């Protein structure tokens, strides 16, 4: 049996999936990504001397705000009542890694919210440091793990 895409109806038209009959469960998703940059830009961010101010705090707030607005950005996503969103950073030799966590209790998952938080946090890092390095590269944005729902737990290899 071939599965048909869940976001297409019988005629092939896009639609939002009806999750009304699905039970609410605890759901959690973790996404991540990284931005590479020059040593100068990395040191300016690390030391708090970037021209636009506190880069990491601004990127953290941007990621959290983005997770809350995911349904406004991704056309077929359901608006969710998030119970937790956090965005964390880790220093790397040539950049910064971002990890975003989104949680809810509801009938559909929070993978898109976690991915949106990580993506917008990375974009904000770029925006806040572009005066120092316009050649920064964003990448490796991906789902790291998810739990809850009918499909159960999943973790990237």
């Amino acid at each position: 049996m071939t599965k048909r895409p869940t976001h297409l109806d019988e005629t092939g038209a896009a639609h939002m999936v009806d999750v009304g009959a699905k039970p609410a469960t605890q759901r959690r998703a973790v996404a991540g990504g990284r931005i590479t940059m020059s040593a100068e830009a990395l040191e300016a961010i690390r030391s708090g001397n970037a021209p636009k101010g506190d880069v990491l705090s601004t990127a953290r707030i941007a990621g959290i705000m983005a997770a809350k607005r995911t349904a406004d950005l991704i056309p077929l996503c359901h608006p969710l009542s998030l119970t937790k969103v956090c965005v964390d950073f880790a220093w790397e030799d040539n950049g910064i890694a971002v990890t975003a966590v989104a949680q809810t209790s509801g009938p559909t998952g929070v993978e898109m919210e976690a991915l949106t938080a990580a993506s917008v946090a990375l974009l904000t890092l770029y925006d806040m440091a572009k005066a120092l390095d316009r050649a920064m590269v964003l990448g490796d944005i991906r789902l790291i793990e998810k739990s809850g729902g009918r499909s159960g737990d999943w973790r990237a290899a």
Side-chain angles (χ1 to χ4, degrees):
M1 174 180 281
T2 304
K3 286 186 173 183
R4 68 177 179 85
T6 58
H7 286 75
L8 299 178
D9 68 14
E10 307 76 38
T11 67
H15 71 101
M16 182 183 266
V17 174
D18 182 359
V19 296
K22 292 173 67 178
T25 61
Q26 293 296 319
R27 294 163 184 270
R28 179 177 184 269
V30 180
R34 60 189 23 87
I35 184 169
T36 59
M37 62 188 69
S38 67
E40 175 192 10
L42 188 60
E43 181 52 33
I45 294 169
R46 189 188 309 259
S47 66
N49 292 322
K52 289 189 174 182
D54 187 345
V55 174
L56 296 184
S57 291
T58 303
R60 177 175 286 114
I61 295 298
I64 292 167
M65 290 174 64
K68 297 187 320 181
R69 300 299 300 261
T70 299
D72 293 334
L73 300 169
I74 310 296
L76 300 178
C77 281
H78 293 82
L80 300 179
S81 178
L82 296 171
T83 58
K84 179 180 181 177
V85 178
C86 62
V87 178
D88 292 309
F89 304 98
W91 300 107
E92 296 187 335
D93 290 339
N94 63 346
I96 301 170
V98 174
T99 303
V101 177
Q103 292 178 193
T104 193
S105 176
T108 191
V110 289
E111 295 91 342
M112 294 308 299
E113 287 72 14
L115 286 162
T116 300
S119 299
V120 171
L122 288 166
L123 288 167
T124 303
L125 290 173
Y126 183 94
D127 180 56
M128 295 290 288
K130 68 186 175 203
L132 301 167
D133 182 4
R134 293 199 184 273
M136 292 179 283
V137 176
L138 287 67
D140 299 327
I141 300 167
R142 68 186 189 128
L143 182 66
I144 297 169
E145 65 182 76
K146 62 81 79 189
S147 61
R150 185 177 56 223
S151 63
D153 297 350
W154 178 88
R155 180 180 288 271

